[in-house]
Coordinates of all heavy atoms in Angstrom, one line a residue:
M1 N -16.7 -3.8 -10.1 CA -15.8 -3.3 -9.1 C -14.6 -2.8 -9.8 O -14.0 -3.5 -10.8 CB -15.3 -4.6 -8.3 CG -14.2 -4.4 -7.3 SD -14.5 -3.1 -6.2 CE -14.6 -3.9 -4.6
S2 N -14.1 -1.5 -9.6 CA -13.0 -1.1 -10.2 C -11.7 -1.4 -9.7 O -11.6 -1.8 -8.5 CB -13.0 0.6 -10.1 OG -13.1 0.9 -8.9
K3 N -10.7 -1.5 -10.5 CA -9.5 -2.1 -10.0 C -8.2 -1.2 -10.4 O -8.2 -0.9 -11.6 CB -9.4 -3.5 -10.9 CG -8.1 -4.2 -10.6 CD -8.3 -5.6 -11.2 CE -7.0 -6.5 -11.6 NZ -6.1 -5.9 -12.4
P4 N -7.3 -0.8 -9.5 CA -6.3 0.0 -10.0 C -5.2 -0.8 -10.7 O -4.9 -2.0 -10.3 CB -5.6 0.5 -8.6 CG -6.3 -0.5 -7.4 CD -7.4 -1.1 -8.1
E5 N -4.5 -0.2 -11.5 CA -3.3 -0.8 -12.1 C -2.2 0.2 -12.3 O -2.4 1.4 -12.4 CB -3.7 -1.3 -13.6 CG -4.6 -2.4 -13.7 CD -4.8 -2.9 -15.3 OE1 -4.5 -2.2 -16.1 OE2 -5.2 -4.1 -15.2
V6 N -1.0 -0.3 -12.2 CA 0.3 0.6 -12.4 C 1.0 0.1 -13.5 O 1.2 -1.1 -13.8 CB 1.2 0.4 -11.1 CG1 2.4 1.0 -11.4 CG2 0.5 0.9 -9.7
N7 N 1.2 1.1 -14.4 CA 2.1 0.9 -15.6 C 3.5 1.1 -15.1 O 4.0 2.2 -14.8 CB 1.8 2.0 -16.6 CG 2.7 1.8 -17.9 OD1 3.7 1.3 -17.8 ND2 2.1 2.1 -19.0
K8 N 4.2 -0.1 -14.9 CA 5.6 0.1 -14.3 C 6.5 0.6 -15.2 O 7.6 0.9 -14.9 CB 6.0 -1.5 -14.1 CG 5.2 -2.0 -12.9 CD 5.9 -3.2 -12.2 CE 4.9 -3.6 -11.1 NZ 5.4 -4.5 -10.1
D9 N 6.3 0.6 -16.5 CA 7.1 1.3 -17.5 C 7.2 2.8 -17.2 O 8.2 3.5 -17.4 CB 6.8 1.1 -19.0 CG 7.0 -0.4 -19.3 OD1 7.8 -1.0 -18.7 OD2 6.2 -0.9 -20.2
L10 N 6.1 3.4 -16.8 CA 5.9 4.8 -16.4 C 6.5 5.2 -15.0 O 6.9 6.1 -14.7 CB 4.5 5.3 -16.6 CG 4.1 5.2 -18.1 CD1 2.6 5.7 -18.2 CD2 4.9 6.1 -19.0
C11 N 6.1 4.2 -14.1 CA 6.4 4.5 -12.6 C 7.8 5.0 -12.4 O 8.7 4.1 -12.9 CB 6.0 3.3 -11.8 SG 6.4 3.3 -10.1
I12 N 8.0 6.0 -11.7 CA 9.4 6.3 -11.3 C 9.8 6.1 -9.7 O 10.7 6.5 -9.3 CB 9.6 7.9 -11.5 CG1 8.6 8.7 -10.8 CG2 9.4 8.1 -13.0 CD1 8.8 10.2 -10.7
G13 N 8.8 5.4 -9.1 CA 9.0 4.8 -7.8 C 9.0 6.0 -6.7 O 9.7 5.9 -5.6
C14 N 8.1 6.9 -6.9 CA 8.2 8.1 -5.9 C 7.5 7.8 -4.7 O 7.8 8.5 -3.6 CB 7.5 9.3 -6.5 SG 5.7 9.1 -6.7
G15 N 6.6 6.7 -4.5 CA 6.1 6.3 -3.4 C 4.8 7.2 -2.9 O 4.1 6.9 -2.0
T16 N 4.4 8.0 -3.7 CA 3.1 8.8 -3.6 C 1.9 7.9 -3.2 O 1.2 8.1 -2.4 CB 2.9 9.8 -4.5 OG1 4.0 10.8 -4.4 CG2 1.6 10.6 -4.2
C17 N 1.8 7.0 -4.2 CA 0.6 6.1 -4.1 C 0.6 5.3 -2.9 O -0.4 5.1 -2.2 CB 0.4 5.3 -5.4 SG 1.9 4.3 -5.7
E18 N 1.7 4.8 -2.5 CA 1.8 4.0 -1.2 C 1.4 4.9 -0.1 O 0.8 4.4 0.8 CB 3.2 3.4 -1.1 CG 3.2 2.4 0.1 CD 4.8 1.9 0.3 OE1 5.7 2.7 0.1 OE2 4.8 0.8 0.6
A19 N 1.9 6.0 0.0 CA 1.6 6.9 1.0 C 0.2 7.3 1.2 O -0.4 7.4 2.2 CB 2.5 8.2 0.9
L20 N -0.5 7.4 -0.1 CA -1.8 7.8 -0.1 C -2.8 6.5 0.3 O -3.8 6.6 1.0 CB -2.3 8.3 -1.4 CG -1.7 9.8 -1.7 CD1 -2.0 10.2 -3.2 CD2 -2.4 10.6 -0.7
C21 N -2.4 5.4 -0.2 CA -3.3 4.2 -0.1 C -2.3 3.0 0.0 O -2.3 2.1 -0.9 CB -4.1 4.0 -1.4 SG -5.5 2.8 -1.0
P22 N -1.8 2.8 1.4 CA -1.0 1.7 1.4 C -1.7 0.2 1.6 O -1.0 -0.8 1.4 CB -0.4 1.9 2.9 CG -1.3 2.9 3.5 CD -1.9 3.6 2.4
T23 N -3.1 0.4 1.5 CA -3.8 -1.0 1.4 C -3.6 -1.5 0.0 O -3.6 -2.8 -0.1 CB -5.2 -0.7 1.6 OG1 -5.4 -0.1 2.9 CG2 -6.1 -2.0 1.5
V24 N -3.6 -0.7 -1.0 CA -3.6 -1.2 -2.3 C -2.2 -1.2 -3.0 O -1.8 -2.1 -3.6 CB -4.4 -0.4 -3.2 CG1 -4.3 -0.6 -4.8 CG2 -5.9 -0.5 -2.8
F25 N -1.4 0.0 -2.7 CA 0.0 0.0 -3.3 C 1.1 -0.3 -2.5 O 1.2 0.0 -1.1 CB 0.1 1.4 -3.9 CG -0.8 1.8 -4.8 CD1 -2.0 2.7 -4.4 CD2 -0.9 1.5 -6.2 CE1 -3.0 3.1 -5.2 CE2 -1.9 1.9 -7.1 CZ -3.0 2.6 -6.6
A26 N 2.1 -1.0 -2.8 CA 3.3 -1.2 -2.1 C 4.5 -1.1 -3.1 O 4.4 -1.5 -4.2 CB 3.3 -2.6 -1.4
M27 N 5.7 -0.6 -2.5 CA 6.8 -0.4 -3.4 C 7.6 -1.7 -3.4 O 7.8 -2.5 -2.3 CB 7.8 0.6 -2.8 CG 7.2 1.9 -2.7 SD 6.3 2.6 -4.2 CE 7.7 2.8 -5.2
E28 N 7.9 -2.2 -4.6 CA 8.7 -3.4 -4.8 C 9.8 -3.2 -5.9 O 9.4 -2.8 -6.9 CB 7.7 -4.4 -5.2 CG 8.5 -5.9 -5.4 CD 7.5 -7.0 -5.8 OE1 7.3 -7.1 -7.0 OE2 6.9 -7.6 -4.9
D29 N 11.0 -3.4 -5.5 CA 12.1 -3.1 -6.5 C 12.1 -1.7 -7.1 O 12.3 -1.5 -8.3 CB 12.0 -4.2 -7.5 CG 12.3 -5.6 -6.9 OD1 13.1 -5.6 -6.0 OD2 11.8 -6.6 -7.6
G30 N 11.6 -0.8 -6.2 CA 11.7 0.7 -6.8 C 10.6 1.0 -7.7 O 10.6 2.0 -8.2
K31 N 9.5 0.1 -7.6 CA 8.3 0.4 -8.4 C 7.1 0.2 -7.7 O 7.2 -0.6 -6.7 CB 8.2 -0.4 -9.8 CG 9.4 -0.3 -10.6 CD 9.2 0.8 -11.5 CE 10.4 0.9 -12.6 NZ 10.2 1.9 -13.7
S32 N 6.0 0.7 -8.0 CA 4.8 0.5 -7.2 C 4.1 -0.8 -7.7 O 4.1 -1.1 -9.0 CB 3.8 1.6 -7.3 OG 2.7 1.4 -6.9
K33 N 3.6 -1.6 -6.7 CA 3.0 -2.6 -7.1 C 1.6 -2.8 -6.5 O 1.5 -2.3 -5.3 CB 3.8 -4.0 -6.6 CG 3.1 -5.3 -7.0 CD 3.9 -6.5 -6.5 CE 3.3 -7.8 -6.9 NZ 3.9 -8.9 -6.2
V34 N 0.5 -3.2 -7.2 CA -0.8 -3.3 -6.6 C -0.8 -4.6 -5.8 O -0.7 -5.7 -6.5 CB -1.9 -3.4 -7.8 CG1 -3.2 -3.6 -7.2 CG2 -1.8 -2.0 -8.5
V35 N -1.0 -4.5 -4.6 CA -1.0 -5.6 -3.7 C -2.3 -6.1 -3.2 O -2.6 -7.2 -2.6 CB -0.1 -5.5 -2.5 CG1 1.4 -5.4 -2.9 CG2 -0.5 -4.3 -1.7
S36 N -3.3 -5.2 -3.5 CA -4.7 -5.5 -3.1 C -5.6 -4.7 -4.0 O -5.4 -3.6 -4.3 CB -5.1 -5.1 -1.8 OG -6.6 -5.4 -1.6
E37 N -6.6 -5.5 -4.7 CA -7.5 -4.9 -5.6 C -8.6 -4.3 -4.9 O -9.5 -3.5 -5.4 CB -8.1 -5.9 -6.6 CG -6.9 -6.5 -7.6 CD -7.4 -7.5 -8.5 OE1 -8.6 -7.8 -8.4 OE2 -6.6 -8.0 -9.2
E38 N -8.8 -4.5 -3.5 CA -9.8 -4.0 -2.8 C -9.2 -2.9 -1.8 O -8.3 -3.1 -1.2 CB -10.3 -5.0 -1.9 CG -11.0 -6.3 -2.8 CD -12.5 -6.5 -2.6 OE1 -13.1 -5.8 -1.8 OE2 -13.0 -7.1 -3.5
C39 N -9.9 -1.7 -1.9 CA -9.6 -0.6 -1.0 C -10.8 -0.4 -0.3 O -11.7 0.3 -0.9 CB -8.9 0.5 -1.9 SG -8.7 1.8 -0.7
G40 N -10.6 -0.4 0.9 CA -11.9 -0.1 1.9 C -11.9 1.4 2.3 O -12.9 1.9 2.7
D41 N -10.8 2.1 2.0 CA -10.7 3.4 2.5 C -10.9 4.5 1.6 O -11.3 5.6 1.9 CB -9.1 3.7 3.1 CG -8.8 2.7 4.1 OD1 -9.8 2.3 4.9 OD2 -7.7 2.2 4.2
C42 N -10.7 4.2 0.3 CA -10.9 5.3 -0.7 C -11.1 4.6 -2.1 O -11.0 3.4 -2.2 CB -9.7 6.2 -0.8 SG -8.1 5.3 -1.5
D43 N -11.4 5.2 -3.2 CA -11.5 4.6 -4.5 C -10.2 4.7 -5.2 O -10.1 4.5 -6.4 CB -12.6 5.1 -5.2 CG -12.4 6.6 -5.5 OD1 -11.3 7.3 -5.1 OD2 -13.4 7.2 -6.1
C44 N -9.1 5.1 -4.6 CA -7.8 5.4 -5.1 C -7.7 6.6 -6.2 O -6.7 6.5 -6.9 CB -7.2 4.0 -5.7 SG -6.9 2.7 -4.5
Q45 N -8.8 7.2 -6.4 CA -8.7 8.2 -7.3 C -7.8 9.3 -6.9 O -7.0 10.0 -7.9 CB -10.1 8.9 -7.4 CG -10.3 10.1 -8.6 CD -10.0 9.3 -9.9 OE1 -10.5 8.3 -10.2 NE2 -9.1 10.0 -10.6
E46 N -7.5 9.4 -5.6 CA -6.5 10.3 -5.2 C -5.1 10.0 -5.6 O -4.3 10.8 -5.9 CB -6.7 10.6 -3.7 CG -5.8 11.7 -3.1 CD -6.0 11.9 -1.6 OE1 -6.5 11.1 -1.0 OE2 -5.4 13.0 -1.1
A47 N -4.9 8.8 -5.6 CA -3.6 8.2 -6.1 C -3.4 8.5 -7.5 O -2.3 8.8 -7.9 CB -3.4 6.7 -5.7
V48 N -4.5 8.1 -8.3 CA -4.4 8.4 -9.8 C -4.1 9.8 -10.0 O -3.2 10.1 -10.8 CB -5.8 7.9 -10.3 CG1 -5.7 8.4 -11.7 CG2 -6.1 6.6 -10.3
D49 N -4.9 10.7 -9.2 CA -4.5 12.1 -9.5 C -3.2 12.7 -9.0 O -2.9 13.7 -9.6 CB -5.7 13.0 -8.8 CG -7.1 12.8 -9.3 OD1 -7.2 12.3 -10.5 OD2 -8.0 13.0 -8.7
N50 N -2.5 12.1 -8.1 CA -1.3 12.6 -7.6 C -0.2 11.9 -8.1 O 1.0 12.3 -7.8 CB -1.4 12.6 -6.1 CG -2.2 13.6 -5.5 OD1 -1.9 14.7 -5.4 ND2 -3.5 13.3 -5.1
C51 N -0.2 10.8 -8.9 CA 0.9 10.3 -9.6 C 1.5 11.2 -10.5 O 0.8 11.7 -11.5 CB 0.5 8.9 -10.2 SG 1.8 8.2 -11.1
P52 N 2.9 11.6 -10.4 CA 3.4 12.6 -11.1 C 3.5 12.2 -12.6 O 3.8 13.1 -13.5 CB 4.7 12.8 -10.5 CG 5.0 11.5 -9.7 CD 3.7 11.0 -9.3
V53 N 3.5 10.9 -12.9 CA 3.8 10.4 -14.3 C 2.5 9.7 -14.8 O 2.6 9.0 -15.8 CB 5.0 9.5 -14.4 CG1 6.2 10.3 -14.1 CG2 4.9 8.3 -13.5
N54 N 1.3 9.8 -14.2 CA 0.1 9.3 -14.6 C 0.3 7.7 -15.0 O -0.4 7.4 -16.0 CB -0.4 10.1 -15.9 CG -0.9 11.5 -15.5 OD1 -1.4 11.7 -14.5 ND2 -0.4 12.3 -16.4
A55 N 0.9 7.1 -14.0 CA 1.1 5.6 -14.2 C 0.0 4.8 -13.7 O 0.0 3.6 -13.9 CB 2.5 5.2 -13.5
I56 N -1.0 5.4 -12.9 CA -2.0 4.6 -12.4 C -3.3 4.9 -13.1 O -3.7 5.9 -13.3 CB -2.2 5.0 -10.8 CG1 -0.9 5.0 -10.0 CG2 -3.3 4.1 -10.2 CD1 -1.0 5.6 -8.7
S57 N -4.0 3.8 -13.4 CA -5.3 3.9 -14.0 C -6.3 2.9 -13.1 O -5.9 2.1 -12.5 CB -5.2 3.5 -15.3 OG -4.6 2.3 -15.6
I58 N -7.5 3.2 -13.3 CA -8.6 2.5 -12.7 C -9.3 1.8 -13.9 O -9.8 2.4 -14.7 CB -9.6 3.2 -11.9 CG1 -8.8 4.2 -10.9 CG2 -10.6 2.4 -11.3 CD1 -8.3 3.5 -9.7
V59 N -9.3 0.5 -13.9 CA -10.0 -0.2 -14.9 C -11.3 -0.8 -14.3 O -11.3 -1.2 -13.1 CB -9.1 -1.3 -15.4 CG1 -7.8 -0.8 -16.2 CG2 -8.6 -2.3 -14.4
E60 N -12.3 -0.8 -15.0 CA -13.6 -1.2 -14.5 C -13.8 -2.8 -14.7 O -13.2 -3.3 -15.6 CB -14.7 -0.5 -15.4 CG -14.7 0.9 -15.2 CD -14.9 1.4 -13.7 OE1 -15.6 0.7 -13.0 OE2 -14.4 2.4 -13.3
Ligands
LIG101 S1 2.6 7.6 -7.6 FE1 3.0 6.9 -9.6 S2 5.3 7.2 -10.0 FE2 4.8 7.2 -7.8 S3 5.3 5.2 -7.1 FE3 3.0 5.4 -7.5 S4 2.8 4.6 -9.7 FE4 4.9 5.1 -9.3

């Protein structure tokens, strides 16, 4: 099972990942936080691809 991770040092809090996949990402204190490792709607690759600072990675 792949699992998304956010590098909070890189995240600029733009909210794109939350907009694309609110099941997995939520904003907290101006940064994105992974709130669920399971995403039934997508594989979060779109969030990875659209993060402007490449802060999201998928770990196997
Ligand atoms: S898309 Fe990237 S920079 Fe924007 S909130 Fe998500 S992790 Fe942070």
